[in-house]
């Protein structure tokens, strides 16, 4: 370890593993270390089930009805991948798909007045959906046609409307769409977690809806993909890519110090040895003195012996509860996967509800989601998870700070875009210039779609 590297990466979350993989492919000499004994950091998939019980301090051992512990692989931060997103394209280009198998998520639903409905995204679905009245169906159909036909290079498709200047509120008004339609369009199609987007230029929302529609068209059931054996397979796939191109990996390596000389990062100290580097990339947990808390996410992992009601008994799905439906500022997300994805024992289902914490009683905030899941066989505590962090960079441009709420920055240079392990869950659709986040990103790679808080990789 006492040698110099082009890049040292601390933490094996998805963002870090993608970066180390790409840098290794580009010929960089990479050292990748993690204090944990497993890959994935805070976005790992925990197996066996006994380890999950220990992590959440659940009493006793898993009952026999849960099956073998090794049959379980439970995501700590649930996310789905957009089928036509840039992270999927990156997986194909880098051939990391040779290490992974995927399955289509079988349904996408939205919550309205205590019930759940399939998200309509095509003209046919719009006309058949019970989410809207007959006149609103026609208006929504015309809206979808406008979005589908929109071409940034063809002014005729804009119909005299400038998406770069007009807000999304203006676009809704153009088609006379009501509040209910605005809710599921902005939150279940464009995958926004709040209503802030309404007063911003509508071009980003149009691109998000187009991404959703294009992803849905790939496989038909939903726009989402999910890797067999859990999301923890993704960072491991990129770690293998890095190793093939000469990257060095070390797990169970305590990081004692980030070594500085004259205000510059020059290396990392671990177990008395110093590895020197030209560039350091790390997740926020390795530099807690340089980050500040800006929010928290609450997640509850639920184990069930049945699929979610009123979903047609599908083996997997995502349900989005728009914030206005439950008098909140942020949406609630529910994602469900099952033994069909090799993450649970036969006949068992895993549902994870999550949202951004807004009160002093986080578990109560998720009650609308938990009510949809009853009866629940076992669940994790509803305590807030590690916080969203904001950070400041070190000078000169030698340290990347990755923020869980979805932003990275390289000091003195252009930021890397969006990504992060502790961002609110949901979908992977953006990336640090080559990673991903949610929905569609102007000029950035898109990424795996996930859960919002079961929200973007």
């Amino acid at each position: 370890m006492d040698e110099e590297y082009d890049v040292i990466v601390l933490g094996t979350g998805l963002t870090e593993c993608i970066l180390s993989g790409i840098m290794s492919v580009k010929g960089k000499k990479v050292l990748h270390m993690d204090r944990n004994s497993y890959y994935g950091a805070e976005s790992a998939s925990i197996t066996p089930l006994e380890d999950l019980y220990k992590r959440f301090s659940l009493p006793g051992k898993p009952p026999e009805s849960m099956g073998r512990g090794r049959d379980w692989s439970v995501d700590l931060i649930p996310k789905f991948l957009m089928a036509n997103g840039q992270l999927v394209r990156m997986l194909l280009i880098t051939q990391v798909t040779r290490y992974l198998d995927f399955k289509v998520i079988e349904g996408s639903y939205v919550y309205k007045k205590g019930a759940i409905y399939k998200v309509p995204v095509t003209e046919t679905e719009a006309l058949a959906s019970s989410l809207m009245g007959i006149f609103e169906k026609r208006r929504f159909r015309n809206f979808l046609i406008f979005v589908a036909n929109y071409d940034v290079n063809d002014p005729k498709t804009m119909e005299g409307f400038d998406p770069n200047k007009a807000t999304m509120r203006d676009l809704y008004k153009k088609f006379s769409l009501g509040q209910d339609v605005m809710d599921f369009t902005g939150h279940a199609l464009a995958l926004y977690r709040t209503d802030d987007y309404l007063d911003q230029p509508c071009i980003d929302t149009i691109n998000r809806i187009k991404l959703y529609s294009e992803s849905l068209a790939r496989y038909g059931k939903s726009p989402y993909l999910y890797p067999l054996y859990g999301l923890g397979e993704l960072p491991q796939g990129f770690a293998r890519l890095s190793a093939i191109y000469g990257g060095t990996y070390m797990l169970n390596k305590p990081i004692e110090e980030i070594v500085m000389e004259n205000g510059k990062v020059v290396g990392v100290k671990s177990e008395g040895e110093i590895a020197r580097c030209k560039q350091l990339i790390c997740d926020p947990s390795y530099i807690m003195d340089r980050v500040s808390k800006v929010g928290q996410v609450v997640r509850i992992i639920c184990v069930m012996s049945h699929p979610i009601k009123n979903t047609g008994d599908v083996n997997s799905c995502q349900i989005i509860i728009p914030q206005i439906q439950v008098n909140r500022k942020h949406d609630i997300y529910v994602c469900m996967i099952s033994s069909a994805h090799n993450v649970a024992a036969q006949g068992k289902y895993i549902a994870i509800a999550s949202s951004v914490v807004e009160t002093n009683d986080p578990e109560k905030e998720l009650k609308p989601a938990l009510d949809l899941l009853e009866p629940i066989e076992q669940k994790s505590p509803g305590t807030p998870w590690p916080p969203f962090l904001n950070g400041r960079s070190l000078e000169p441009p030698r340290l990347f700070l990755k923020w869980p709420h979805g932003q990275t920055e390289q000091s003195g240079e252009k930021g890397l875009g969006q990504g992060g392990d502790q961002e609110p869950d949901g979908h992977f659709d953006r990336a640090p210039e080559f990673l991903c986040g949610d929905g569609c990103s102007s000029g950035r790679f898109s990424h795996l779609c996930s859960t919002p808080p079961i929200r973007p990789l």
Side-chain angles (χ1 to χ4, degrees), residues 191-210:
L191 302 174
Y192 286 107
R193 290 183 300 257
T194 70
D195 279 341
D196 294 346
Y197 79 97
L198 287 171
D199 298 309
Q200 297 171 358
C202 64
I203 181 64
D204 187 49
T205 303
I206 290 174
N207 286 331
R208 284 172 173 249
I209 296 173
K210 287 175 74 72

Side-chain angles (χ1 to χ4, degrees), residues 47-64:
T47 185
L49 186 60
E50 290 78 5
D51 285 0
L52 190 70
Y53 269 59
K54 292 176 183 176
R55 186 178 187 91
F56 292 105
S57 302
L58 298 176
K61 296 181 179 180
E64 292 184 4

Side-chain angles (χ1 to χ4, degrees), residues 2 7 94 135 156 160-161 168 181 192 236 240 291 312 322 324 355 372 377-378 396 439 447:
D2 284 324
V7 183
T94 58
F135 297 111
K156 293 181 181 179
F161 199 81
M168 196 60 204
V181 178
Y192 286 107
Q236 291 189 63
R240 292 187 186 104
V291 295
I324 198 170
S355 187
L372 297 174
E377 196 169 332
Q378 181 65 274
H447 84 245

Side-chain angles (χ1 to χ4, degrees), residues 163-293:
N164 291 299
K165 295 181 179 178
T167 67
M168 196 60 204
R169 197 184 298 276
D170 295 332
L171 184 58
Y172 286 141
K173 186 176 181 180
K174 172 181 170 67
F175 289 93
S176 301
L177 299 180
Q179 184 62 51
D180 288 344
V181 178
M182 292 166 59
D183 283 344
F184 73 74
T185 300
H187 296 268
L189 295 182
L191 302 174
Y192 286 107
R193 290 183 300 257
T194 70
D195 279 341
D196 294 346
Y197 79 97
L198 287 171
D199 298 309
Q200 297 171 358
C202 64
I203 181 64
D204 187 49
T205 303
I206 290 174
N207 286 331
R208 284 172 173 249
I209 296 173
K210 287 175 74 72
L211 172 62
Y212 188 103
S213 180
E214 292 164 359
S215 297
L216 179 67
R218 294 287 295 273
Y219 300 104
K221 293 182 178 181
S222 86
Y224 308 130
L225 301 177
Y226 183 82
L228 297 184
Y229 301 102
L231 289 172
E233 295 296 298
L234 290 170
Q236 291 189 63
F238 282 98
R240 292 187 186 104
L241 177 68
S242 176
I244 287 173
Y245 284 88
T248 301
Y249 276 77
M250 296 183 180
L251 299 181
N252 264 329
K253 288 291 288 185
I255 306 303
E256 298 167 0
E257 180 186 355
I258 293 177
V259 181
M260 310 278 293
E261 291 180 3
N262 299 320
K264 300 179 181 180
V265 177
V266 297
V268 173
K269 183 177 181 180
S270 175
E271 298 179 318
E273 297 180 301
I274 295 179
R276 302 183 72 84
C277 63
K278 300 173 183 175
Q279 195 172 69
L280 175 68
I281 301 171
C282 64
D283 76 39
S285 65
Y286 288 89
I287 46 169
M288 293 302 292
D289 61 325
R290 293 181 175 273
V291 295
S292 59
K293 175 181 174 181

